[in-house]
Amino acid sequence: GTGKGLPPGMLTSVQLGRLYNTHGRAFDRLFLRYMTYHHRGALTMVQQLAARGGGQEPEISAFTRHVEADQGIEIARMRDLMAELR
């Protein structure tokens, strides 16, 4: 779930506590789920920036394209790792 007032992809203290109290393969699965959520949050932030008309400057535009590519790679990596745990 999302915490009120937190930036997209940031975990709540409850979620962090759940992760802290989980072990073994259950920890691995939960960690990967939370990391995927975290990386998707970065994509949400750059999409929100673009929707508000931001990121038009060449440097910011290049940065947001880099974020989108990098986060997409990380999400795919998390998905692959999750498939290995099933």
Side-chain angles (χ1 to χ4, degrees):
T2 60
K4 286 199 180 268
L6 290 177
M10 295 302 291
L11 298 175
T12 66
S13 58
V14 171
Q15 290 170 314
L16 289 172
R18 189 175 302 139
L19 191 60
Y20 180 79
N21 290 306
T22 305
H23 306 282
R25 285 178 91 76
F27 172 88
D28 294 343
R29 283 191 288 273
L30 189 59
F31 176 80
L32 290 171
R33 191 165 74 215
Y34 284 169
M35 286 304 295
T36 299
Y37 171 74
H38 181 69
H39 290 301
R40 287 179 202 249
L43 290 174
T44 298
M45 285 193 287
V46 295
Q47 289 164 357
Q48 288 173 347
L49 176 66
R52 289 192 298 263
Q56 302 303 314
E57 303 82 3
E59 296 84 6
I60 301 298
S61 179
F63 172 76
T64 57
R65 283 195 313 275
H66 174 75
V67 167
E68 289 175 329
D70 187 52
Q71 299 309 302
I73 290 166
E74 291 300 321
I75 290 167
R77 185 176 297 154
M78 297 298 148
R79 192 177 310 128
D80 291 345
L81 289 169
M82 193 73 116
E84 291 176 20
L85 289 173
R86 291 194 175 128

